Amino acid sequence: LAGAINILLVFSYRHQGTENMCTPCIAQDSGMNEIVLPLPDDFHNHFRDDPSLTSLVAGHVKQRFGRCLAMPNLAPPVTTAAAAHSYHQRLLSSGLEDGSVDLVMTLYLTDTTTPKDIVECCPDGISVKSGAIRAAKLYPAGATTNSAHGVKNVAGLYPTFRAMEETGMVLCIHSEVPDSDVDIFDREAVFIERIMVPLAKEFTKLKIVMEHISTEGAVKWVSKAPPNFAASITVHHLLYNRNSLLAGGIRPHFYCLPILKRETHRVALLKAATSGDPRFFAGTDSAPHLAFRKETECGCAGVYTAHIAVELYAEAFDQAGALDKLKGFLCEHGADHYGMERNETRCPDERVVLKRSRVGVPKVFNVDGLPLKPLRAGEEVAWSLVREGP
């Protein structure tokens, strides 16, 4: 009875009702058939900067999310406040002019980013909280897509981090070393020791996010880290392990960075996401690439999930028997860490309704006549979704 009451407090609902190569690695469900949530947040999304591709992403995002953190790794990257505001306007013109999604912008950090660059993101010269630019992204140089202009000397940016701490800007980190002599499956663990441990000693008030964590070690570190640290988790890292990428043949549309890890890491990530711990929240890292850029001799890293991200998070939490924790993970924890108003109070008349109903996923999305293959292409997702409200 207590468990049922707890679920009723979190959700409005009506009518109760093994690892593989290409299918999710978890399989059970809670019996709940409908979930009503405030508008979810996605604190990591790649909109790109091509009119047709960006419009596709925007259309999928606005069906599911009330707030979205836009990544700055364009070509050229978004390294100044002026560039971030210009990109913000381009995103609005991609189909988001109606304000249906609160676009949160990020600055791309380089070794030459200064405290002045951070202050220029503050509308009043003091705080970022009333502006569109609320975070800065640290890409280790060479770690992932369009990261060549990223950071080589993290300690050299400590004065800039101080300015971020003072203005309320969040530091988002791609937490992998790019060193060629470090095994790709170990790069997150090495980054924690080299970079995160010193950061935790040096900065006690700067809000820091380890983005898209992918290992049990990262879960353990964040769980014991000071309260100014948190982590985002993608839905593909919750549902799939490296067998999906490598067993029985290479499947390039599962290739992402951080790379999918072994099953023990997926289980640890799922346990963290469904624990109710406010240090863990949703960041899809949805990253669209045209099929020819994935299906090639040296394919791009990135999994496109914006078209079914919330549905897949529901699937993962459902199969873990933790739907009562979905609201916190999708709608509360991230906003709280970023110091933002929750969508439940910011736009209380809007919501998403998830129903247990299998829905087919298109084999491709057409982008100017070229195919983009999404996650679950030609397959099904276990939940349908509708956004409701004015």
Side-chain angles (χ1 to χ4, degrees), residues 63-263:
Q63 293 173 19
R64 291 162 180 81
F65 295 102
R67 181 186 287 119
C68 205
L69 185 71
M71 290 294 103
N73 57 329
L74 309 181
V78 181
T79 58
T80 66
H85 288 302
S86 177
Y87 185 37
H88 184 251
Q89 290 303 311
R90 295 197 298 279
L91 291 180
L92 289 175
S93 67
S94 70
L96 301 175
E97 303 94 332
D98 58 0
S100 55
V101 179
D102 179 18
L103 290 169
V104 184
M105 307 308 293
T106 53
L107 206 64
Y108 183 113
L109 295 172
T110 72
D111 284 318
T112 60
T113 305
T114 66
K116 182 175 180 290
D117 293 320
I118 302 303
V119 173
E120 288 178 351
C121 297
C122 304
D124 59 2
I126 299 173
S127 171
V128 299
K129 292 188 176 180
S130 63
I133 310 169
R134 299 293 297 272
K137 180 66 179 277
L138 192 165
Y139 291 101
T144 189
T145 304
N146 291 343
S147 63
H149 297 88
V151 176
K152 297 179 180 178
N153 179 17
V154 175
L157 282 180
Y158 278 15
T160 300
F161 296 163
R162 292 289 179 206
M164 293 174 61
E165 192 171 49
E166 292 168 2
T167 60
M169 182 177 281
V170 176
L171 174 61
C172 303
I173 305 179
H174 183 113
S175 306
E176 293 185 293
V177 297
D179 308 44
S180 60
D181 61 341
V182 177
D183 189 282
I184 194 169
F185 292 100
D186 298 330
R187 292 180 178 183
E188 190 170 88
V190 173
F191 189 93
I192 290 172
E193 290 303 316
R194 287 186 187 174
I195 307 298
M196 300 306 296
V197 171
L199 278 176
K201 293 178 180 177
E202 189 73 20
F203 296 95
T204 59
K205 295 181 181 179
L206 174 64
K207 292 291 186 72
I208 298 176
V209 179
M210 284 187 69
E211 296 201 299
H212 45 53
I213 61 171
S214 63
T215 61
E216 182 179 16
V219 168
K220 290 181 177 178
W221 192 85
V222 172
S223 297
K224 296 178 180 179
N228 55 312
F229 285 80
S232 63
I233 305 177
T234 79
V235 73
H236 46 285
H237 284 97
L238 292 181
L239 286 171
Y240 299 95
N241 62 38
R242 63 188 185 182
N243 277 7
S244 300
L245 171 66
L246 298 170
I250 295 175
R251 297 175 181 82
H253 295 281
F254 282 101
Y255 174 56
C256 57
L257 291 172
I259 198 166
L260 295 173
K261 306 298 195 299
R262 65 172 67 244
E263 174 68 358

